[in-house]
Amino acid sequence: MSAMPPLPAPPLPGVDDRWAMFLDVDGTLVDFANDPRQVAVDARLRELIEDLHGTLDGALALVSGRSLDDLDDLFGHPPWAMAGLHGLELRGADGRYRGVHIGMARRMRVRDIAGSIAARLPGVTLEDKGMAVALHCRAAPWLFDALRESVEATLPALAGYEMQPGNQVIELKPEGMDKGKVVATLLTARPFHGRQPVYLGDDLTDEHGFATTNLESGLSVRVGYREPSLARYALPEPAAARAWLFRVLHALKHGALSHAHSSGGIA
């Protein structure tokens, strides 16, 4: 079986392009860590996202598997739109919150079942996300298949929950929401409405985002080398993604300035 041809790097925006950017976090903006709590966002990255948000007139959202509380801690309670837990939590550009309610008894049952799986597989760690739980095996990647089989075996006892595989992680989360639906929802509201979506992500969970972005004639950008993928462009790693975003910011500012000069918008 021949290898798939490499994907091209994404283009930069033109003068008349009106982009709406949707950015995954772990594995896209920042490198993975064995323990998600070890991930840090430096001031330069925060300033980059803040500047992009302003330059895009607010049409920028983080779309992550992390909770909104985690994202607020990482990025300093920012004003931009953010989706947590793959869209189970959503705070729009207007600051309004929309979330799924899961009762405490169901949360505890899912957490207990996930905890029993982690206890049987040394090297697997449990991350309690509230409505969802994640079982990580980044420190013991050879356990991924066994982890997946164990989680699949529990699904009949967890009505309303589904399994979401990722990069050395398996999540148990409520059914009915994914990152593609987040993109579709945000594109119906200002300031995203009428703009071309640009989605950056690295993981299986981002494939839903790529699919929606492609349907909207946007730019789907995979970070890393995972295949197969619905993405139409690629960047090799988070450092390359950050470098490209700096170039995007420069192009947006330069393009806006050029457009303003050509239309007489600057005195």
Side-chain angles (χ1 to χ4, degrees):
M1 183 177 177
S2 60
M4 297 178 66
L7 294 173
L12 296 174
V15 172
D16 296 320
D17 287 337
R18 298 181 70 247
W19 281 9
M21 302 204 76
F22 302 92
L23 307 174
D24 176 43
V25 178
D26 295 84
T28 298
L29 295 179
V30 296
D31 292 308
F32 280 112
N34 287 343
D35 184 340
R37 294 171 296 182
Q38 296 172 341
V39 170
V41 173
D42 62 30
R44 191 164 185 253
L45 177 55
R46 290 186 189 182
E47 290 168 3
L48 168 63
I49 304 304
E50 183 176 327
D51 212 349
L52 279 168
H53 173 261
T55 304
L56 291 165
D57 299 318
L60 179 145
L62 300 183
V63 185
S64 175
R66 288 179 179 267
S67 68
L68 286 185
D69 285 344
D70 269 359
L71 293 175
D72 277 335
D73 288 344
L74 280 174
F75 290 91
H77 297 265
W80 50 75
M82 297 197 301
L85 302 179
H86 312 288
L88 293 169
E89 300 177 319
L90 177 61
R91 189 165 68 222
D94 59 1
R96 293 183 181 179
Y97 173 83
R98 186 223 65 197
V100 175
H101 175 73
I102 303 293
M104 183 56 66
R106 292 185 69 197
R107 293 187 187 196
M108 291 180 65
R109 176 168 173 76
V110 173
R111 185 176 59 201
D112 288 346
I113 289 175
S116 67
I117 292 173
R120 294 196 305 268
L121 297 171
V124 171
T125 59
L126 185 148
E127 179 187 5
D128 185 356
K129 298 184 176 185
M131 286 184 286
V133 294
L135 290 160
H136 297 270
C137 64
R138 190 165 299 280
W142 56 88
L143 291 176
F144 185 82
D145 289 342
L147 174 60
R148 181 172 187 148
E149 291 172 3
S150 295
V151 173
E152 285 177 337
T154 70
L155 290 177
L158 296 174
Y161 270 72
E162 63 184 358
M163 181 179 74
Q164 176 63 69
N167 190 330
Q168 304 303 332
V169 62
I170 300 285
E171 294 194 40
L172 280 164
K173 69 181 187 68
E175 296 174 339
M177 182 53 68
D178 60 53
K179 292 183 176 182
K181 292 176 182 176
V182 170
V183 174
T185 297
L186 288 175
L187 285 175
T188 66
R190 292 187 176 184
F192 300 91
H193 182 66
R195 289 175 174 260
Q196 181 184 22
V198 179
Y199 189 104
L200 270 70
D202 69 297
D203 211 342
L204 286 171
T205 62
D206 296 301
E207 291 296 324
H208 300 291
F210 296 154
T212 298
T213 298
N214 292 343
L215 286 173
E216 296 292 337
S217 301
L219 280 68
S220 51
V221 185
R222 183 199 67 211
V223 178
Y225 296 93
R226 179 186 52 78
E227 293 180 350
S229 175
L230 295 174
R232 294 175 177 169
Y233 302 93
L235 294 163
E237 59 190 359
R242 295 191 297 269
W244 181 75
L245 288 172
F246 275 109
R247 294 173 63 207
V248 167
L249 178 61
H250 176 80
L252 288 169
K253 288 184 171 182
H254 178 75
L257 183 63
S258 298
H259 185 75
H261 276 300
S262 64
S263 60
I266 293 182

